[in-house]
Amino acid sequence: LEFRRVLFRSGNAGIIVPDSAGATKFWRFGDQVQSLGAHTVEGSSRTTRPDFCVLPSGRIIAGLVSSTQYGISTYYSDDHGVTFAALGTTEFSNDGNTKDTVCLEYVDDMVVCVLGYNAGSKKARVLVSLDGGVTFGSIQHVDGYPTPRTCVTATGTVLLAYRSATQVATAPISLSAGIGTAVSSASCNGAACIATRDDGTVWVWGMNASAAKAFDMDIDASLDGGITF
């Protein structure tokens, strides 16, 4: 699970996850990681790894895969994640590549999205919204990139982390050319995660599972914005 800043001034954090009851919930946290409660985004848990971003206005944009699982549905909250309302849905063609994972980032007045999947051999789709997450256009639809997660570097570059064989691979996303050349880092046979710290360093986590260890992770860091780890 990944924490993202929700309230810019207070630094409070939140996570968005599907729950066992079949809904997608947004959890808010206060000081000392004290839970402020879970609030329903959508009454569906079809999105294995949903995501959200925060606009400069403080509005939270939550992203889930659409009901067809080929597109994206967005929800917004203007009260720090207490209540959510539908914002928009953008569907794409039924090509057999259903999605179950959403990555959302706000950068340069745009909402950038990666629609992907957690398992199997399918395609990932890179999207961009110019209207605050209401509608999205597709800029790339390519094979690979399982368990995607994204972050924005201190210089405004969107980085994509994903599982590649037994490692985490990290690549920049260009809104003109799509996903760029990847570099490999932490060991990974499960899910990949990535985050940019306030000091500008980029951290990647590779989740691992084995008979010897039920759960562990490898962590690598980059001091040059994700060029090397």
Side-chain angles (χ1 to χ4, degrees):
L1 301 179
E2 298 161 281
F3 286 83
R4 294 182 181 271
R5 184 160 295 175
V6 178
L7 309 177
F8 287 117
R9 292 182 179 178
S10 69
N12 287 0
I15 55 174
I16 181 171
V17 292
D19 69 6
S20 58
T24 300
K25 296 292 184 68
F26 184 89
W27 284 83
R28 299 167 61 234
F29 293 87
D31 295 338
Q32 289 85 45
V33 200
Q34 177 184 4
S35 174
L36 300 178
H39 306 276
T40 299
V41 179
E42 184 188 75
S44 164
S45 57
R46 64 178 173 270
T47 309
T48 304
R49 299 180 84 191
D51 201 6
F52 71 93
C53 66
V54 184
L55 305 187
S57 64
R59 168 171 285 190
I60 299 171
I61 305 296
L64 289 75
V65 295
S66 64
S67 59
T68 66
Q69 292 191 270
Y70 293 104
I72 180 174
S73 291
T74 51
Y75 299 80
Y76 74 93
S77 173
D78 288 330
D79 54 11
H80 309 305
V82 177
T83 59
F84 283 85
L87 183 61
T89 294
T90 302
E91 293 285 8
F92 297 98
S93 61
N94 180 341
D95 62 355
N97 287 278
T98 56
K99 310 294 191 288
D100 65 9
T101 299
V102 177
C103 306
L104 282 186
E105 301 291 349
Y106 174 82
V107 60
D108 294 336
D109 294 327
M110 296 175 288
V111 178
V112 179
C113 172
V114 176
L115 287 179
Y117 58 95
N118 263 326
S121 178
K122 297 181 180 180
K123 289 186 175 183
R125 189 183 290 275
V126 180
L127 313 174
V128 64
S129 172
L130 303 178
D131 56 11
V134 180
T135 60
F136 287 82
S138 178
I139 62 174
Q140 190 178 32
H141 197 207
V142 290
D143 290 322
Y145 308 101
T147 74
R149 267 300 178 246
T150 55
C151 73
V152 179
T153 69
T155 57
T157 298
V158 179
L159 290 180
L160 168 69
Y162 59 96
R163 186 184 69 245
S164 177
T166 58
Q167 289 184 292
V168 175
T170 305
I173 294 178
S174 164
L175 297 185
S176 59
I179 302 170
T181 302
V183 294
S184 296
S185 53
S187 172
C188 179
N189 62 27
C193 296
I194 189 169
T196 301
R197 289 171 52 97
D198 289 343
D199 61 7
T201 58
V202 178
W203 290 40
V204 295
W205 292 261
M207 307 300 183
N208 294 287
S210 68
K213 295 181 178 180
F215 182 83
D216 67 77
M217 67 178 73
D218 281 7
I219 305 172
D220 281 5
S222 172
L223 304 178
D224 56 14
I227 297 173
T228 59
F229 284 86

